[in-house]
Amino acid sequence: MSGAQLDRADTRVRHDEGLSGALRAFFDRVRSGDLGMLPVFIGLLLITLVFSSLNPVFLAPNNLVNLLFDAAAIGLISLGVVCVLLLGEIDLSIGSMSGLSSALVGVLWVNSGLPMLLAILGAVLAGAAVGFIYGFLRNKFEMPSFVATLAGLLALLGLQLYLLGATGSINLPYTSPLVKFGQILIMPAWLSYLAAILPGALMVFSGLKTLKRRRDANLSSPGLSVLLVRAGVLTVALIGCVAYLEQGRGVPYMFGVFTLFVVALDYALRRTQWGRSMFAVGGNAEAARRSGISVKRIRLSAFMLCSSLAALGGVFAASRLASASQQAGTGDVNLNAIAAAVIGGTSLFGGRGSAWSALLGIIVIQAISNGLTLLNLSSSLRYMITGGVLAIAVIVDSLARRSRASHGRA
Amino acid sequence: MEQGELILKLRGVSKQFGAVTALKDIELDVHAGEVVALVGDNGAGKSTLVKTLAGVHQPTSGTIEWCGTPVTLDSPGTALALGIATVFQDLALCENLDVVANLFLGHELNRWALDEVEMEVRAWTLLQELAARIPSVREPIASLSGGQRQTVAIARSLLLDPKIIMLDEPTAALGVAQTAEVLNLIERVRERGHGVILISHNMEDVRAVADRIVVLRLGQNNGVFTAETSHQELVAAITGASENSVSRRMARKQGEVA
Ligand SMILES: Nc1ncnc2c1ncn2[C@@H]1O[C@H](COP(=O)(O)OP(=O)(O)OP(=O)(O)O)[C@@H](O)[C@H]1O
Ligand SMILES: [Mg+2]
């Protein structure tokens, strides 16, 4: 190696080279309270063990396919929640927004005869407008977001009921692409396998490029072995999942689209200036402002994104149920969407989290709800258990935060 | 920019916080290639003045001229865009982000696909110039010591190659070597023809680098001095009386020696 590397001058730092080093760094991080996705994986494992021993149907491929069908809509809503949580804000009206959006699609498309895509676009734009109002109230009047969105919860629900009128529900045509999308459309096997291989391949490709650039710039790099092992494990796991689902009906398009949204938001959060600003505002809004970041614009973007995703989630839910009803978006939708983000590891205190937490969190929630339904347990019990899981997730979040503070990891 | 050209000119700048008048009719000139020290007791209004120039606070009244044209510094972004960089007394760093992210915050390279490698290289280069003792730039700021954080804040202000750099007690938490590096750095910035506003309670540091020493007292100008001014005179201007605790203490010491 030519001379000391730029980032290896300080002799006090232990340098974790190669595979064993990467593992050691991981355990250090976990011990200091930087748990990341670990609690979710442990939770999922526990849930699977419990439910599959109580009822083997839980693990049947087609049951899991159904589970993914059910997860997509609330998962999308939860993705928006991640955005507002990152800023340390909250949106309590996501459920109502999704209900209103499904009503809008019903009214615009089925009742008024607008083209389907135009109706969906209208619903999403309505979401963006609602988010704009929340952002405006927060920026202009410093109105705490939980108050503004609590008011929104009621107002949007009222609008939904008004739109649906006396009949109370609008059935979507059964043969329409929207309903097919929500109920039967399955990705062809080749596409699913391609989607399983692509992330690992991209990881190796961009990883190799970064490795070379770091070496040329005289910076240390974690090494080729770590990269290959990580990509390998990821690819094997994904192919395993797809192969298992292919024994049933396969991977729903709906879930595929949801995953695409997750990937896009993950990129935006981690690799763009906007994403960096989101984390900065969530960590220390005043410091972000003094760095020249327009905190107001960032807040506005987060609220608008959240409500728009909630609206799109509402469209997904309508397509899943083949109807826009007064019940859409009520009940446990709100709680599930927020719980999914938190369970997935996005902090309620702002400044920490990831788009993937929405996907992992919603799978946990959906698994619990699916398992309990298989056991013929009523929704009353389901509510209580989901509430309990959310409480546990918040406790883990708080404890991890305290531990991070004492280990100097904010 | 010409050496000695007037960059920043303040006239009659006042700042009111409710009933408190933090600044009253402040006058201040900063020329290219000049180090202006801003001194005064605790609560004299030094930080408030710096924040006003950084666009954090808006002045209640008065005019600010930048290179001869009146400007309104309505947000930190405006000030940064003009070329006014600031190291704040409370540093203003994001503890959840790592050193590289903090250095480049708001000015990341390649906004649609962040160039982490290039940013890291530039970060190390900058930190080495400041003789920084920072073990890793990929750890969150929360894991750094007070002095290390201060170094990061100073490095950040240099990143954009500003025309004026304002340092609010930049060496308060620094070690001997790092303080010397910061003073060297201030001289280098001056040689490059940029203006520096330095706030410090350390009169030795101030005398070492300042071309002019501007004294604030209770939110008002209280004289402009040079490094040649005697310690007594300076202390008198800062505290507002020749008969004060500092001079009494010195007299007592001299009495003991005699
Ligand atoms: N945001 C604020 N709101 C109300 N009053 C403020 C605010 N910021 C400063 N002040 C008041 O303005 C006065 C000047 O404060 P400032 O921070 O500028 O002092 P300073 O000269 O920097 O002192 P130090 O040497 O202690 O840093 C103080 O009386 C302070 O109470
Ligand atoms: Mg101060």
Side-chain angles (χ1 to χ4, degrees):
Chain A
M1 207 157 288
S2 60
Q5 284 170 326
L6 268 181
D7 51 348
R8 289 293 154 87
D10 200 308
T11 48
R12 285 167 303 174
V13 192
R14 192 190 68 213
H15 299 304
D16 299 312
E17 312 270 2
L19 271 183
S20 60
L23 275 179
R24 198 161 47 170
F26 171 74
F27 284 120
D28 274 0
R29 267 210 312 279
V30 170
R31 218 172 305 143
S32 70
D34 202 349
L35 300 177
M37 308 270 171
L38 195 66
V40 196
F41 282 115
I42 294 175
L44 261 182
L45 203 69
L46 282 179
I47 290 166
T48 314
L49 282 178
V50 171
F51 283 126
S52 59
S53 66
L54 288 175
N55 186 347
V57 175
F58 179 75
L59 268 182
N62 266 337
N63 186 49
L64 295 185
V65 171
N66 276 336
L67 195 156
L68 295 188
F69 260 118
D70 291 333
I74 301 190
L76 261 187
I77 303 175
S78 177
L79 202 55
V81 175
V82 169
C83 293
V84 286
L85 285 187
L86 274 180
L87 299 191
E89 309 280 342
I90 189 77
D91 185 345
L92 297 173
S93 72
I94 37 179
S96 306
M97 187 62 234
S98 74
L100 172 63
S101 141
S102 64
L104 271 173
V105 169
V107 169
L108 291 177
W109 176 39
V110 180
N111 289 6
S112 320
L114 243 59
M116 183 189 80
L117 285 178
L118 214 59
I120 294 176
L121 187 69
V124 173
L125 285 181
V130 169
F132 183 87
I133 295 174
Y134 294 151
F136 179 79
L137 291 176
R138 176 71 179 83
N139 283 336
K140 190 82 183 172
F141 306 112
E142 311 239 321
M143 195 164 169
S145 54
F146 86 92
V147 180
T149 58
L150 202 56
L153 184 151
L154 209 59
L156 297 180
L157 180 61
L159 194 55
Q160 176 188 356
L161 298 183
Y162 173 81
L163 280 179
L164 290 172
T167 52
S169 96
I170 301 170
N171 289 326
L172 306 184
Y174 225 78
T175 50
S176 65
L178 188 61
V179 173
K180 280 191 186 148
F181 175 72
Q183 302 203 331
I184 50 176
L185 276 189
I186 296 286
M187 282 160 55
W190 64 267
L191 188 58
S192 307
Y193 280 112
L194 190 68
I197 293 170
L198 212 58
L202 279 179
M203 200 173 182
V204 171
F205 178 73
S206 76
L208 282 178
K209 223 168 66 176
T210 311
L211 272 185
K212 182 173 161 15
R213 284 199 62 201
R214 287 186 71 91
R215 210 172 304 133
D216 290 349
N218 199 19
L219 290 171
S220 69
S221 48
L224 192 62
S225 55
V226 179
L227 177 67
L228 290 181
V229 167
R230 285 176 70 176
V233 168
L234 181 70
T235 309
V236 168
L238 286 177
I239 289 185
C241 290
V242 169
Y244 193 74
L245 292 170
E246 286 296 334
Q247 293 185 357
R249 289 155 69 197
V251 184
Y253 257 115
M254 202 178 206
F255 191 77
V257 172
F258 165 50
T259 311
L260 265 185
F261 272 93
V262 174
V263 171
L265 184 66
D266 182 59
Y267 179 88
L269 285 178
R270 287 192 310 114
R271 310 276 301 147
T272 71
Q273 186 177 42
W274 173 78
R276 200 43 67 79
S277 308
M278 290 279 287
F279 281 95
V281 173
N284 185 344
E286 180 58 19
R289 186 171 86 92
R290 291 190 196 171
S291 308
I293 292 172
S294 170
V295 175
K296 292 185 174 176
R297 219 180 297 159
I298 293 292
R299 278 207 194 107
L300 202 61
S301 73
F303 280 112
M304 286 175 73
L305 203 54
C306 177
S307 295
S308 306
L309 283 170
L312 195 62
V315 177
F316 273 38
S319 89
R320 180 87 188 113
L321 296 171
S323 81
S325 70
Q326 290 186 338
Q327 276 75 46
T330 59
D332 54 357
V333 173
N334 242 342
L335 183 79
N336 281 349
I338 295 171
V342 177
I343 289 170
T346 293
S347 173
L348 283 169
F349 306 104
R352 296 183 69 82
S354 125
W356 290 102
S357 59
L359 192 146
L360 291 172
I362 198 60
I363 289 184
V364 169
I365 298 235
Q366 233 23 277
I368 294 173
S369 135
N370 181 296
L372 292 176
T373 312
L374 283 181
L375 295 179
N376 276 327
L377 291 178
S378 65
S379 60
S380 56
L381 206 65
R382 218 178 62 215
Y383 284 8
M384 285 191 265
I385 292 184
T386 313
V389 171
L390 175 60
I392 292 173
V394 173
I395 291 170
V396 170
D397 181 26
S398 310
L399 289 181
R401 178 174 133 107
R402 209 186 302 160
S403 167
R404 281 196 308 272
S406 69
H407 285 81
R409 301 191 66 100
Chain B
M1 182 164 307
E2 283 284 307
Q3 198 80 1
E5 188 186 329
L6 187 61
I7 312 178
L8 187 67
K9 182 170 148 188
L10 271 70
R11 288 294 175 269
V13 168
S14 303
K15 176 69 189 173
Q16 201 92 30
F17 288 115
V20 180
T21 307
L23 296 175
K24 187 155 180 276
D25 285 331
I26 296 294
E27 281 191 15
L28 181 72
D29 293 332
V30 182
H31 301 84
E34 181 184 41
V35 178
V36 178
L38 207 54
V39 298
D41 264 340
N42 292 136
K46 307 179 295 293
S47 297
T48 306
L49 182 56
V50 160
K51 284 184 186 165
T52 307
L53 292 175
V56 174
H57 293 321
Q58 272 62 58
T60 318
S61 63
T63 58
I64 300 173
E65 280 184 25
W66 178 256
C67 298
T69 43
V71 287
T72 319
L73 301 170
D74 49 8
S75 79
T78 318
L80 283 169
L82 282 179
I84 305 176
T86 316
V87 177
F88 294 99
Q89 193 169 14
D90 54 4
L91 303 184
L93 300 167
C94 289
E95 302 220 328
N96 59 329
L97 298 178
D98 66 19
V99 175
V100 177
N102 267 287
L103 282 179
F104 284 86
L105 198 57
H107 306 91
E108 289 84 356
L109 302 179
N110 206 351
R111 64 166 63 197
W112 297 113
L114 299 185
D115 190 346
E116 295 286 354
V117 177
E118 181 60 27
M119 289 200 280
E120 193 170 331
V121 171
R122 295 253 290 263
W124 279 117
T125 318
L126 204 53
L127 290 171
Q128 275 171 1
E129 260 179 57
L130 292 169
R133 295 269 175 275
I134 291 181
S136 161
V137 291
R138 288 300 178 190
E139 290 289 314
I141 289 289
S143 68
L144 298 188
S145 77
Q148 290 170 332
R149 289 178 203 207
Q150 200 148 44
T151 314
V152 172
I154 295 172
R156 176 163 79 176
S157 70
L158 293 170
L159 194 75
L160 297 176
D161 198 27
K163 288 206 181 68
I164 282 193
I165 161 166
M166 303 192 288
L167 304 147
D168 195 347
E169 303 196 20
T171 55
L174 293 191
V176 185
Q178 288 74 21
T179 302
E181 256 350 293
V182 169
L183 295 182
N184 284 344
L185 178 106
I186 289 176
E187 286 178 337
R188 282 208 299 279
V189 171
R190 167 169 57 192
E191 274 156 29
R192 265 193 263 164
H194 299 181
V196 178
I197 298 178
L198 170 70
I199 296 180
S200 178
H201 287 297
N202 185 332
M203 287 306 140
E204 242 175 86
D205 291 354
V206 165
R207 279 167 194 284
V209 293
D211 297 306
R212 284 188 300 131
I213 303 174
V214 174
V215 177
L216 287 192
R217 191 173 131 65
L218 302 176
Q220 282 175 290
N221 280 106
N222 202 25
V224 179
F225 303 87
T226 62
E228 280 76 50
T229 314
S230 75
H231 189 74
Q232 235 98 17
E233 214 177 324
L234 212 51
V235 170
I238 291 171
T239 56
S242 50
E243 166 67 11
N244 57 54
S245 55
V246 183
S247 63
R248 278 199 301 275
R249 199 179 139 79
M250 272 169 91
R252 204 171 62 228
K253 276 231 166 135
Q254 271 158 9
E256 281 166 13
V257 172

